[in-house]
């Protein structure tokens, strides 16, 4: 099995090294990741300039695992990685420093790497864990759980797209979850840089409680959250409703 690993924290992230250590137990591994942090890059593709693909020796990787850095986005990395390394079976993205749950799924560069794999007809899995300014993730603690998750999910039929989120503390187990959907009170906060120039911070404050059974709830309760996702964003219930409504109006005014 060939496993391509990417992320949005950059090729030098300890999270990608930990994931490579785990993935190397399951197959042949190659790391292709951005040369700098690309957090919240979403599913952007670099189209206005060429991108580079440079071999990057990393001592923290298992023996035989090669790494390459790309001056582009996680999606660029997956496109290049699967093109220049043929017959990839699985794309892993992470382990991200910071959770990717709820509304963060929309703009997550980590998840974009896994989604790009799914768009190419491959299995894609995004893996993330919380982090704060005071404490970085304990990847040594998470590695056995990452192995357990991979072993479990590799039994799933092709293709699939799974979003995995680990809690900050040793997990109590795993839970299949749905995406948490909460509304936010968005604010733009102005400030000044050292040169006196005005800049802005975008902040979000959730206005609703965490929903039980969601990815956010599972992580808060100390479980590994496993959320199956799909590429089709169509609201099928709403589509059926408006079709029926349109048909009723046509009958009414015929």
């Amino acid at each position: 099995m060939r496993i391509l690993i990417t992320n949005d924290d950059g090729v030098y992230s300890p999270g990608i090294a930990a994931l490579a250590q785990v993935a190397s137990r399951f197959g042949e591994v190659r790391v292709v990741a951005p040369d700098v942090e690309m957090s919240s890059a979403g599913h952007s593709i670099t189209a206005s300039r060429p991108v580079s693909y440079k071999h990057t020796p990393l001592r923290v990787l298992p023996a035989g695992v090669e790494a390459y850095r790309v001056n582009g986005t996680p999606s660029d990395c997956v496109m290049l990685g699967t093109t220049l390394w043929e017959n990839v079976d699985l794309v892993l993205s992470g382990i991200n420093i910071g959770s990717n749950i709820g509304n963060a799924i929309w703009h997550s560069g980590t998840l974009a790497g896994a989604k790009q794999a799914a768009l190419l007809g491959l299995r894609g899995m995004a893996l993330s864990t919380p982090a704060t300014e005071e404490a970085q993730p304990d990847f040594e603690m998470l590695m056995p759980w990452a192995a357990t998750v991979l072993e479990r999910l590799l039994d799933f039929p092709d293709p699939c797209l799974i979003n995995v989120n680990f809690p900050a503390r040793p997990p109590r187990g795993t839970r299949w979850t749905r995406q948490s959907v909460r509304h936010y009170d968005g604010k733009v906060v102005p400030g000044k840089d050292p040169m006196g120039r005005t800049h802005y911070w975008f902040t979000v404050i959730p206005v609703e409680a965490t929903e039980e059974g969601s990815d956010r709830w599972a992580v808060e309760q100390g479980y590994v959250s496993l959320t199956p996702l799909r590429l089709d964003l169509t609201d099928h219930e709403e589509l059926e409703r408006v079709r029926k409504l349109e048909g009723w109006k046509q009958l009414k005014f015929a």
Side-chain angles (χ1 to χ4, degrees), residues 117-138:
L119 285 170
L120 297 174
L122 303 172
R123 283 180 291 178
M125 302 180 195
L127 303 96
S128 307
T129 190
T132 64
E133 292 184 1
E134 294 76 23
Q136 292 298 301
D138 184 350

Side-chain angles (χ1 to χ4, degrees), residues 31-248:
V31 170
V32 181
D35 57 357
V36 296
E37 183 177 348
M38 296 295 294
S39 295
S40 297
H43 207 121
S44 57
I45 296 286
T46 302
S48 59
R49 59 171 176 81
V51 295
S52 63
Y53 182 83
K54 296 181 179 180
H55 185 252
T56 308
L58 297 176
R59 295 181 180 179
V60 293
L61 296 180
V65 175
E66 293 186 335
Y68 295 83
R69 67 185 188 272
V70 175
N71 62 338
T73 67
S75 299
D76 294 334
C77 293
V78 174
M79 286 295 296
L80 277 174
T82 55
T83 299
L84 300 178
W85 197 43
E86 296 180 349
N87 302 317
V88 171
D89 300 291
L90 169 67
V91 174
L92 303 178
S93 187
I95 299 172
N96 190 65
I97 301 176
S99 297
N100 280 300
I101 52 182
N103 292 350
I105 288 177
W106 288 93
H107 55 76
S108 168
T110 302
L111 189 62
K115 285 193 297 179
Q116 185 62 42
L119 285 170
L120 297 174
L122 303 172
R123 283 180 291 178
M125 302 180 195
L127 303 96
S128 307
T129 190
T132 64
E133 292 184 1
E134 294 76 23
Q136 292 298 301
D138 184 350
F139 290 112
E140 288 292 331
M141 178 270 291
L142 291 177
M143 285 171 63
W145 283 95
T148 298
V149 166
L150 279 178
E151 186 173 11
R152 182 176 181 181
L153 296 184
L154 284 176
D155 290 334
F156 276 61
D158 297 346
C160 66
L161 176 60
I162 304 291
N163 188 34
V164 180
N165 280 274
F166 300 99
R169 55 188 183 274
R172 300 167 58 187
T174 61
R175 288 287 187 274
W176 286 104
T177 63
R178 66 181 186 279
Q179 178 189 1
S180 171
V181 180
R182 297 197 296 179
H183 296 91
Y184 288 82
D185 180 12
K187 293 183 179 180
V188 178
V189 181
K192 297 286 185 180
D193 68 13
M195 301 298 293
R197 296 169 296 198
T198 302
H199 59 211
Y200 301 91
W201 288 99
F202 298 104
T203 65
V204 290
I205 301 173
V207 297
E208 297 160 349
T210 301
E211 318 97 301
E212 185 173 346
S214 68
D215 50 11
R216 188 181 307 277
W217 173 87
V219 171
E220 289 178 356
Q221 297 299 313
Y223 293 102
V224 180
S225 169
L226 309 174
T227 308
L229 302 175
R230 65 182 184 182
L231 297 175
D232 181 7
L233 297 179
T234 306
D235 185 336
H236 290 279
E237 291 183 2
E238 180 65 10
L239 177 61
E240 187 62 24
R241 187 188 73 83
V242 296
R243 280 175 172 171
K244 289 180 178 179
L245 180 61
E246 187 174 69
W248 175 80

Side-chain angles (χ1 to χ4, degrees), residues 11-34:
V11 71
Y12 301 105
S13 169
I16 206 169
L19 186 54
Q21 290 279 355
V22 174
S24 63
R25 307 175 198 174
F26 297 88
E28 187 180 359
V29 172
R30 176 173 290 190
V31 170
V32 181

